[in-house]
Amino acid sequence: MHANDLYATAQRVLGGKAAKVILALEEVTVECLPEHYRDVMTTLRAHAELHFESLIDLCGVDYSTYKNEVWPGKRFAVVSQLLSVANNQRIRVRVWAEDDDFPVVESIVDIYNSADWYEREAFDMYGILFNNHPDLRRILTDYGFVGHPFRKDFPISGHVEMRYDETEKRVIYQPVTIEPREITPRIVREENYGG
């Protein structure tokens, strides 16, 4: 199935469940609202013409700035990549979290079990909550970690640092002691360089 055919089929099958179906660079992207997300994912998996049986990736995205400009829409999205082995086709699904301060999207672990750790990673790195996830907890950072490090407003040095204290024989958490600074590279110019 060619991308143009997939685009037409996705538009027809998903109908009003999809906010947008986009064809760009020979790739099809389905955008949907949170209330239609599970229905869209179920349809993409179960419909005979589409049959996207594998979720190969799911990630969070912070759109607070995009292409070095302020983004006018919602801040957080969850983007999934689906694969149809039967049709030798891929499709992207993007769902926007309604609340920028408390982003929540429904879990799709019961539809695609491979979403389990991907959703945990998006929760850990971006703070996107996945409603009805069976075990939503941090997966890459420590349980005492403060914040979500892939958010664009997260400080480069973090909020706390940890170190092993030899006298107390344990790991200690303390406020960051690194002073933020701007590093300007030194430029060396020689009039007769190479010549």
Side-chain angles (χ1 to χ4, degrees):
M1 184 184 302
H2 189 270
N4 291 332
D5 299 328
L6 175 59
Y7 172 71
T9 303
Q11 281 186 312
R12 178 176 47 78
V13 171
L14 294 173
K17 297 176 202 172
K20 287 187 217 174
V21 180
I22 303 161
L23 175 61
L25 304 172
E26 297 293 317
E27 296 178 352
V28 177
T29 302
V30 175
E31 289 194 358
C32 63
L33 298 173
E35 58 266 26
H36 300 298
Y37 179 50
R38 287 183 52 80
D39 199 12
V40 164
M41 296 303 267
T42 302
T43 302
L44 288 171
R45 181 180 175 98
H47 196 278
E49 291 180 73
L50 297 170
H51 196 62
F52 287 97
E53 68 268 26
S54 297
L55 179 132
I56 56 174
D57 192 24
L58 180 147
C59 66
V61 181
D62 180 353
Y63 282 97
S64 57
T65 58
Y66 185 70
K67 296 184 178 179
N68 295 322
E69 296 179 10
V70 175
W71 180 258
K74 300 289 182 193
R75 178 177 177 181
F76 294 104
V78 174
V79 179
S80 303
Q81 305 287 340
L82 304 178
L83 171 68
S84 171
V85 176
N87 296 326
N88 191 25
Q89 198 60 254
R90 293 175 189 240
I91 198 165
R92 178 183 303 112
V93 179
R94 181 171 32 227
V95 58
W96 299 94
E98 285 295 319
D99 187 351
D100 290 347
D101 296 323
F102 191 69
V104 179
V105 172
E106 286 295 319
S107 175
I108 56 165
V109 170
D110 61 324
I111 302 168
Y112 292 102
N113 63 2
S114 61
D116 187 359
W117 283 19
Y118 292 134
E119 289 180 354
R120 286 181 60 192
E121 181 183 33
F123 163 69
D124 193 2
M125 299 289 108
Y126 291 96
I128 300 170
L129 294 169
F130 289 88
N131 199 25
N132 296 314
H133 188 283
D135 186 22
L136 192 62
R137 58 191 162 107
R138 290 190 181 270
I139 192 169
L140 296 172
T141 60
D142 186 49
Y143 294 125
F145 191 86
V146 177
H148 305 283
F150 282 5
R151 287 188 174 192
K152 291 182 179 176
D153 56 0
F154 188 81
I156 291 174
S157 59
H159 298 292
V160 294
E161 63 186 28
M162 64 182 226
R163 64 179 175 81
Y164 182 77
D165 189 295
E166 190 62 44
T167 57
E168 293 191 35
K169 303 289 186 208
R170 67 180 184 95
V171 172
I172 304 264
Y173 291 91
Q174 63 189 40
V176 174
T177 58
I178 300 170
E179 290 292 323
R181 62 184 176 148
E182 184 176 321
I183 300 174
T184 307
R186 187 179 71 163
I187 299 171
V188 178
R189 292 195 177 126
E190 294 181 28
E191 293 297 326
N192 298 324
Y193 180 76

